[in-house]
Each structure stands twice: as C-alpha cells, then as structure tokens.
C-alpha cells in the first residue's frame, strides 16, 4: 500500500480520533540511508534520516499534519507561528490545504530565500518582525492567547506528537533503536519529540531499548550548552539561530535520561559537515541540518566516540531551501565556452 502520511501510518500512537479531519501531504516515510563515508570517518555504522524528503522539505511536516488536523477539528479558522523559516513553510502549506489562514512571524531579513518563497507560495501572511526568533515566538504566543488563532509552534504539544513518528520509523527500519541518535537542536522540540517516540516504542512497541540522545547546537546559539539564554544568538545556520529554546526542560530531561549529550559545533564545523554530506554522501541539506553530523564527526575526531556503534543522525531540511552556502563552498564556475565539442572537451581537459 502507498504511504498514507504519519497520522494514518501511526494512528494508534497519536492523539487523533475517528472525527479528526486528517490534513496530510503524505509526510513521513523518509529514507534512513546508510552513510558509508561517514561510517568510514567515524568507525561506526552511521545512517542518515533524510527529513528533507518531506513534502515541504523539512521534518516540520510530521508535527504540522497533527497540529493542523487538530486545529481544524477544534474549529480554528487561522493559525499562527513564529519561525526561522521551516515551520512557517510547513504551517503555510498544511493550513492552506486545510482551508485555514496561515499567519507567520519571522525575524526580518534572516530567513533563507527558499523558505520565504515557500510561505509566500502557499499564501501565508508573512510578517517580518524587527527582532529575533525568540521575539517572534513571544509575540505568536501572545496573539494566540488574545485572539482566535491557533498556535502551531512546538510549544503546542501536538506538534511533538507528530514529530515523534520519526523515531518510530528509525526503529521500524533498523529493527531496534540505534545506540545513539544525533540531531541539530534549535528550539529543542525535535530532540524532545524523538525521545518521546523512542521511549514509547521501547515501552509499548517493537524496540527493546532507547538510544542515547546527542543534540548539537551552533556555537553562537548554544543556550543549552551554556546553561543560560543567549540574548543575541548568531550563526550561519539560520534555522537554529535561537537563544531561548521553548522546549528547554524537555531537551535537558532527554539528555539526562538517555545518558546523552548536548554540545556545540562551530559554523566552520557545520559547513565542513554540510560539504561532506553533499560531496561524499550525495545528500544535500541546509547548513543547520548538518549540525548533527558535525557533532558526531567532532566526537569521533576527539576520540570520544566508541567505534562500532550504530548511529542514526537526522538531517533536518533540504539543501535547496538555502543553497547560498553550497555555492560559496564550491570552486567558482569556469568562464562560458563556445558551443563546440572541441572547446568543451578542452575545457574539461579530456583527450
Ligand atoms: N533543523 C532545521 C532545518 C530547522 O528548521 C530547525 C528548527 C531545527 C533543525 C531545530 O529543531 O527547533 O526542534 O530544535 N526550525 C524552527 C523553525 C525553529 O522555525 O523552522 P528544533
């Protein structure tokens, strides 16, 4: 049977009932790709969960199908979110699909073009705010308190419910939980959702155990590592440029209960991982998405990773959302050549 989206595939695990109008774009069912080059570099058995293959190009779609379906069921007519770009793209697509009005608040001038375009294409009212993501989230929460509009950020627990299905999929493919699950951390919803999913599948599902959760923040936006909010978060990984994560306590609890880590990676380490993913593994992601890979490579390099472990790393969003960094990292394009086979062959140093 064709993949039906995460609500139908995992209905028994989700807070939906027979009356829930299922709003889906076919999200989930993303590849868990063996990563031979990353495995060779780390001495571990590494897989990447390619969440850029979701309908709007990021893992946000898993939580948005549940959030929008339940908002629709509750009679909402409009939804609001704050976003660094991916949540807004996803909210815009799913709200439009459901016939609801999407309103998104984004930090002015800080959203990658692909994401800005998506929210516009899906008909969202996209309001740039003179502030950072944390300001946008505060405003979105206040709007949802004072006006008849449903909040679809991950502070809405239904979002985490949908996102936990990614952990189910990893277990369904591997046959059990991996030793380690690594991923980028921004607002800290996703690490919390994975931990929820792994715990549920170990308690009542096919898994015999849970993995250690390894979260990685960008060094300039690493409040969970510092143990205090960062007032002016700064990183090239715009998706995780967040100074005061909403799911702070859940993420810290996941780290503690799983004997995991939450550490920082520099922008340089993120860009190196980004390049390795695209140029060696054939997986094109946006920079923030490479933070989990950067973190695992760093631990391996520092001799802090036991070899032989089975590691799943979530790469969270598609490279086409923010292609600038790929162009910057590559050698410049050669000058144009004449439309002549000899000229082309010469330019390619053939023959
Ligand atoms: N990777 C990408 C590509 C993201 O867009 C985000 C978050 C994360 C990782 C971090 O996930 O917040 O659950 O810890 N993006 C949000 C947004 C903030 O607005 O799109 P998290």
């Amino acid at each position: 049977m064709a993949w039906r989206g995460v609500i139908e595939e995992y209905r028994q695990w989700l807070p939906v009932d027979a009356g829930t109008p299922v709003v889906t774009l076919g999200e989930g069912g993303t590849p868990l790709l063996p990563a031979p080059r990353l495995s060779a570099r780390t001495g571990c058995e590494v897989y990447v969960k390619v969440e850029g293959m979701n309908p709007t190009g990021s893992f946000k779609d898993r939580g948005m199908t549940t959030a929008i379906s339940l908002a629709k069921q509750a009679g909402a007519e409009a939804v609001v979110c704050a976003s660094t770009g991916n949540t807004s793209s996803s909210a815009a697509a799913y709200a439009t699909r459901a016939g609801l009005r999407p309103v998104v608040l984004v930090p002015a001038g800080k959203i990658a073009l692909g994401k800005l375009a998506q929210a516009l294409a899906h008909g969202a009212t996209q309001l740039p705010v003179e502030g950072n993501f944390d300001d946008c989230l505060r405003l979105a929460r206040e709007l949802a308190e004072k006006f008849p509009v449903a909040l679809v950020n991950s502070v809405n627990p239904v979002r985490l419910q949908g996102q936990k299905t990614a952990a189910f999929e990893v277990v369904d493919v591997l046959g059990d939980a991996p030793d380690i699950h690594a991923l980028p951390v921004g607002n800290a919803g996703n690490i919390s959702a994975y931990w929820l999913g792994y715990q549920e599948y170990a308690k009542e599902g096919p898994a015999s155990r849970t993995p250690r959760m390894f979260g990685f923040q960008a060094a300039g936006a690493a409040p969970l590592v510092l143990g205090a909010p960062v007032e002016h978060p700064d990183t090239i990984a715009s998706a995780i440029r967040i100074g005061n994560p909403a799911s702070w306590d859940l993420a810290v609890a996941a780290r503690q209960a799983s004997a995991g880590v939450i550490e920082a990676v520099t922008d340089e380490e993120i860009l190196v991982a980004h390049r390795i993913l695209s140029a060696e593994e054939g997986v094109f992601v946006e920079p923030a998405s490479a933070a989990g890979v950067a973190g695992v490579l760093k631990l391996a390099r520092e001799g802090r990773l036991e070899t032989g472990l089975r590691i799943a790393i979530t790469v969270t969003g598609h490279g086409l959302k923010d292609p600038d960094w790929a162009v910057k990292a590559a050698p410049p394009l050669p000058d144009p050549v004449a439309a002549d086979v000899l000229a082309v062959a010469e330019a390619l140093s053939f023959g």
Side-chain angles (χ1 to χ4, degrees):
M1 200 196 297
W3 183 264
R4 298 165 296 169
V6 300
I7 292 183
E8 293 305 351
E9 295 294 334
Y10 293 107
R11 178 173 272 276
Q12 69 186 102
W13 301 90
L14 295 172
V16 293
D17 58 37
T20 308
V22 175
V23 182
T24 180
L25 291 166
E27 63 292 320
T30 57
L32 183 71
L33 278 186
R37 304 312 192 329
L38 292 174
S39 299
R41 282 174 180 270
T42 55
C44 290
E45 183 187 334
V46 179
Y47 297 82
V48 286
K49 180 73 172 150
V50 188
E51 289 289 271
M53 295 299 285
N54 277 298
T56 77
S58 86
F59 69 97
K60 305 288 181 179
D61 296 342
R62 295 178 181 277
M64 213 50 80
T65 184
T66 47
I68 298 290
S69 297
L70 287 164
K72 176 97 180 158
Q73 186 170 17
E77 289 178 5
V79 300
V80 65
C81 69
S83 184
T84 56
N86 281 324
T87 300
S88 46
S89 302
S90 185
Y94 282 79
T96 293
R97 179 90 180 176
L100 310 181
R101 178 184 176 203
V103 175
V104 307
L105 305 182
V106 294
K110 303 290 186 191
I111 304 299
L113 184 60
K115 305 175 189 181
L116 203 76
Q118 282 182 289
L120 291 174
H122 293 306
T125 307
Q126 187 162 211
L127 202 59
V129 172
E130 290 171 351
N132 59 28
F133 170 85
D134 305 289
D135 297 315
C136 293
L137 183 56
R138 176 174 50 78
L139 295 167
R141 291 171 108 148
E142 277 182 42
L143 281 179
E145 269 167 31
K146 296 186 178 140
F147 300 92
V149 49
L151 184 65
V152 295
N153 278 106
S154 56
V155 291
N156 175 344
V158 166
R159 277 275 312 280
L160 302 192
Q161 289 292 322
Q163 282 177 211
K164 77 185 178 188
T165 59
F168 296 167
E169 290 177 17
V170 171
V171 173
D172 288 344
V173 169
L174 295 180
D176 206 340
D179 295 299
I180 291 170
H181 192 110
L183 75 175
V185 173
N187 210 26
N190 212 28
I191 190 170
S192 309
Y194 269 92
W195 180 236
L196 187 66
Y198 278 123
Q199 280 178 293
E200 289 184 8
Y201 241 30
K203 201 166 162 220
E204 294 168 54
S208 73
R209 59 179 190 155
T210 52
R212 299 176 67 193
M213 299 301 304
F214 281 26
F216 295 97
Q217 301 202 283
L224 296 173
V225 181
L226 299 171
V230 174
E231 201 176 335
H232 300 293
D234 186 28
T235 165
I236 57 100
S238 60
I240 54 173
R241 193 183 286 143
I242 294 176
N244 192 9
S247 296
W248 185 302
D249 294 343
L250 288 175
V252 168
R255 170 180 64 188
Q256 193 175 356
S258 76
V261 301
I262 299 179
E263 296 204 8
V265 284
T266 65
D267 283 358
E268 290 70 28
E269 288 166 336
I270 288 174
L271 288 173
V272 167
H274 175 255
R275 179 99 183 126
I276 290 172
L277 275 165
S278 48
E280 295 187 17
E281 297 288 8
V283 177
F284 187 25
V285 304
E286 62 168 290
S289 299
V293 171
V296 168
L297 288 172
K298 176 181 155 181
L299 294 184
R301 199 171 59 238
E302 293 174 355
R304 295 161 62 207
L305 199 64
E306 211 182 299
T307 55
L309 298 178
R310 186 177 256 195
I311 306 179
I313 311 177
T314 301
V315 290
T316 43
H318 203 288
L320 291 175
K321 283 174 171 280
D322 189 4
D324 283 6
W325 290 102
V327 178
K328 281 182 199 158
L333 281 181
D335 291 334
V337 296
D340 169 84
V341 74
L342 288 178
V344 171
E346 192 187 322
L348 297 173
S349 316
F350 282 180

